[in-house]
Amino acid sequence: MSEVTMEKIVSLAKRRGFIYPGSEIYGGLSGFWDYGPLGVELKNNIKNLWWKMFVKERTDIYGVDAAIIMHQKAWEASGHVKGFSDPMVECKKCKRRFRADQAEGPEGTRRVGGKCSECEGSFGEVRQFNMMFKTHVGATEDESSVSYFRPETAGGIFVNFKNIVDSFHPKLPFGIAQIGKAFRNEISPRDFVFRAREFEQMEIEHFVRPDEWKRWFVAWREEIFMFFETIGIARDFIHESEIGDGDRAHYSKRTIDFEFDFPFGRKELCGLAYRTDFDLRAHTETSGVELSVIVDDATGEKIVPHVIEPSFGVDRAILALLTSAYTEDELNGEARTYLKFNPAVAPVKAAVFPLLKNKPELVAKARDVYEKLKTEVSEIAWDDNGNIGKRYRRQDEIGTPVCITVDFQTLEDDTVTIRNRDTGGQERVAISTLDSVVRQ
Ligand code: ATP
């Protein structure tokens, strides 16, 4: 099997309508990507499976969808205004900026032996660059109207902690989950959707008793592996990396990065952090609103819970799925490319074809099969364009697990052929059993 490269993945993602460069007709905008029809479905499948596993199927986790822009004080309290920065150097000659801890700069420029690859200029002092996107809320553009696009979804969870406690009176431990966009003005966005300036996160803040954090930290390690197994990334492909003192985010006392072998190297796919009571205490101090829970109804004893945070990036999960699913092989003597998606995330679950487009009786019958299946299993595609071999290739390339062909025999005995993406093997099944076969 030949190597899976970023070029192949990026090209397939664009060609087949998964992911396009943002603002492409204007030459693109670095760090921004647009999801096309298949990308949206893939993304929704991942988010829905996550929500089902961590919110719907549990009674101790509450979902929220908080505003992206919050009060400036919330970001001061969380430490992001002061500390959410990356080290940066600037070329003294051409003014291009680079992450001081990485070799690459914007638009493919590089730091080569301490010099700028574009103009060979030397660099100034290392400075801290705050990665939050600043904006102004309302018609006045002064310091009081400054706010930020959230750099992580966690912020919206902490500011709603009291609301959840007041509405639902949960007992510890309990969690709050959120899926949504986050924004970081990355100095050097790169590696496709891996390091973007606008991306999506799926985060849980799990509130626990302070003396129980270790137990919950271990439990969440396992949950993380289980989630990736659910979407089709086996645990053997995920590697834990303990983050040492000095390298952790300002709020964390313990962090594990879960890494994946992307084509450009082993890099963080998601993270698990022990955020202590840092955020609840900081928001209490800044807002003046007490953020605590009653742990003993009889005495009214209150505590400030500690927090375990599993933080998943949707876009990195998509890139990991594209990387692990991308397969090149030979089928019936022909080279082919296909995405070996787990059916749970495949954007299209099955495609229905009439064998020939110009035979009305075949088309009508295939249409019936298609309409029926669509009501039973969603995400069914219709394709009557080109010869059957071409249609198979198209579906293979987008990772459709099975293709169903209506042929002349169907008109006689109500059976169809069902063809497996991975093996290319075909079998005949009765239309009456089709939905259960496809589901399986
Ligand atoms: P990195 O070290 O790669 O910059 P991080 O440690 O800053 O990542 P976290 O703050 O832990 O990332 O964010 C949680 C998750 O959000 C990451 O594991 C990743 O999946 C996702 N994420 C963070 N930054 C980006 C980005 N710029 N583009 C896409 N996804 C991101």
Side-chain angles (χ1 to χ4, degrees):
M1 211 180 74
S2 57
E3 202 192 339
V4 181
T5 62
M6 280 309 282
E7 288 70 34
K8 289 178 184 174
I9 291 174
V10 174
S11 142
L12 185 146
K14 181 167 190 314
R15 191 170 68 247
R16 308 299 310 178
F18 285 91
I19 305 172
Y20 305 116
S23 310
E24 193 182 9
I25 60 168
Y26 292 100
L29 184 62
S30 181
F32 295 90
W33 298 92
D34 295 340
Y35 283 78
L38 295 173
V40 179
E41 295 300 333
L42 177 59
K43 215 182 199 194
N44 285 342
N45 290 340
I46 294 169
K47 292 194 286 184
N48 290 341
L49 286 165
W50 189 91
W51 197 257
K52 181 166 174 275
M53 182 165 173
F54 295 125
V55 182
K56 285 196 168 167
E57 287 180 353
R58 294 177 65 134
T59 52
D60 60 338
I61 299 191
Y62 300 82
V64 294
D65 182 11
I68 285 172
I69 294 178
M70 305 198 312
H71 200 290
Q72 54 168 259
K73 287 219 156 39
W75 298 114
E76 283 167 20
S78 67
H80 285 84
V81 172
K82 218 162 134 203
F84 194 65
S85 46
D86 273 341
M88 181 186 75
V89 286
E90 190 176 277
C91 170
K92 285 185 187 157
K93 207 160 145 198
C94 71
K95 306 289 176 214
R96 284 191 171 82
R97 291 173 168 189
F98 298 79
R99 272 272 293 264
D101 55 345
Q102 285 171 358
E104 241 117 321
E107 280 88 49
T109 53
R110 288 183 67 79
R111 280 192 298 138
V112 189
K115 293 233 181 288
C116 171
S117 65
E118 291 300 290
C119 68
E120 301 216 331
S122 57
F123 296 112
E125 291 291 293
V126 175
R127 286 197 284 138
Q128 291 299 319
F129 173 77
N130 193 300
M131 289 197 291
M132 285 199 294
F133 279 100
K134 212 177 201 178
T135 188
H136 290 271
V137 177
T140 31
E141 289 206 358
D142 59 19
E143 276 308 301
S144 69
S145 67
V146 165
S147 193
Y148 306 91
F149 283 65
R150 66 182 178 205
E152 56 173 19
T153 57
I157 294 181
F158 292 119
V159 299
N160 279 290
F161 173 82
K162 188 173 180 326
N163 287 331
I164 298 298
V165 170
D166 290 349
S167 305
F168 300 95
H169 311 290
K171 293 269 170 276
L172 288 180
F174 73 91
I176 307 179
Q178 173 162 230
I179 298 179
K181 292 265 181 161
F183 302 81
R184 296 184 187 179
N185 199 0
E186 297 277 358
I187 300 165
S188 316
R190 61 196 167 131
D191 298 326
F192 196 31
V193 294
F194 178 85
R195 188 170 303 287
R197 288 178 165 142
E198 175 176 341
F199 54 96
E200 223 165 333
Q201 291 185 314
M202 309 184 282
E203 294 193 303
I204 296 163
E205 306 305 317
H206 198 220
F207 302 98
V208 304
R209 285 175 179 270
D211 58 350
E212 290 189 348
W213 78 265
K214 283 191 177 135
R215 170 157 95 78
W216 287 106
F217 195 90
V218 171
W220 278 106
R221 270 166 101 166
E222 187 52 28
E223 296 278 353
I224 286 174
F225 282 114
M226 276 165 44
F227 172 70
F228 284 112
E229 270 181 2
T230 304
I231 64 170
I233 300 175
R235 63 175 63 216
D236 295 352
F237 292 93
I238 294 171
H239 314 278
E240 290 182 88
S241 163
E242 185 82 43
I243 306 302
D245 294 345
D247 289 331
R248 288 190 294 268
H250 61 277
Y251 48 71
S252 174
K253 272 226 173 113
R254 185 175 180 197
T255 298
I256 293 181
D257 283 353
F258 291 76
E259 299 180 335
F260 178 83
D261 290 317
F262 293 99
F264 43 85
R266 186 170 287 184
K267 292 277 165 60
E268 176 180 337
L269 173 60
C270 83
L272 177 64
Y274 168 42
R275 286 180 85 125
T276 68
D277 54 359
F278 173 87
D279 299 271
L280 292 182
R281 284 202 189 275
H283 286 299
T284 297
E285 205 170 289
T286 310
S287 66
V289 177
E290 188 187 335
L291 302 178
S292 62
V293 274
I294 293 179
V295 285
D296 188 331
D297 289 332
T299 63
E301 185 199 344
K302 289 176 182 170
I303 63 166
V304 180
H306 279 219
V307 173
I308 306 297
E309 177 196 69
S311 175
F312 300 77
V314 181
D315 311 79
R316 288 190 190 176
I318 286 177
L319 187 54
L321 278 174
L322 287 171
T323 305
S324 53
Y326 189 97
T327 315
E328 289 172 346
D329 70 356
E330 206 176 87
L331 192 65
N332 307 327
E334 259 185 64
R336 72 161 178 164
T337 300
Y338 72 104
L339 292 177
K340 208 173 185 168
F341 280 142
N342 178 330
V345 296
V348 176
K349 307 294 183 214
V352 177
F353 313 149
L355 179 66
L356 298 169
K357 194 180 176 176
N358 56 2
K359 296 282 175 209
E361 64 276 33
L362 280 186
V363 174
K365 186 76 185 169
R367 209 74 212 175
D368 283 351
V369 171
Y370 166 74
E371 295 295 346
K372 185 166 170 278
L373 206 53
K374 223 172 140 82
T375 60
E376 288 152 353
V377 185
S378 60
E379 300 154 323
I380 304 294
W382 167 266
D383 192 354
D384 58 8
N385 207 354
N387 70 42
I388 286 286
K390 280 211 178 103
R391 290 183 238 171
Y392 284 152
R393 295 291 178 275
R394 272 202 293 272
Q395 296 301 327
D396 286 347
E397 257 205 323
I398 64 168
T400 306
V402 290
C403 293
I404 294 150
T405 304
V406 169
D407 55 18
F408 291 105
Q409 193 181 327
T410 314
L411 304 177
E412 284 161 22
D413 63 6
D414 264 348
T415 63
V416 290
T417 63
I418 181 160
R419 179 245 190 207
N420 180 296
R421 173 195 67 198
D422 301 347
T423 62
Q426 300 186 20
E427 56 174 323
R428 277 208 95 80
V429 304
I431 291 174
S432 56
T433 62
L434 201 52
D435 67 312
S436 65
V437 175
V438 171
R439 265 178 219 283
Q440 216 179 2

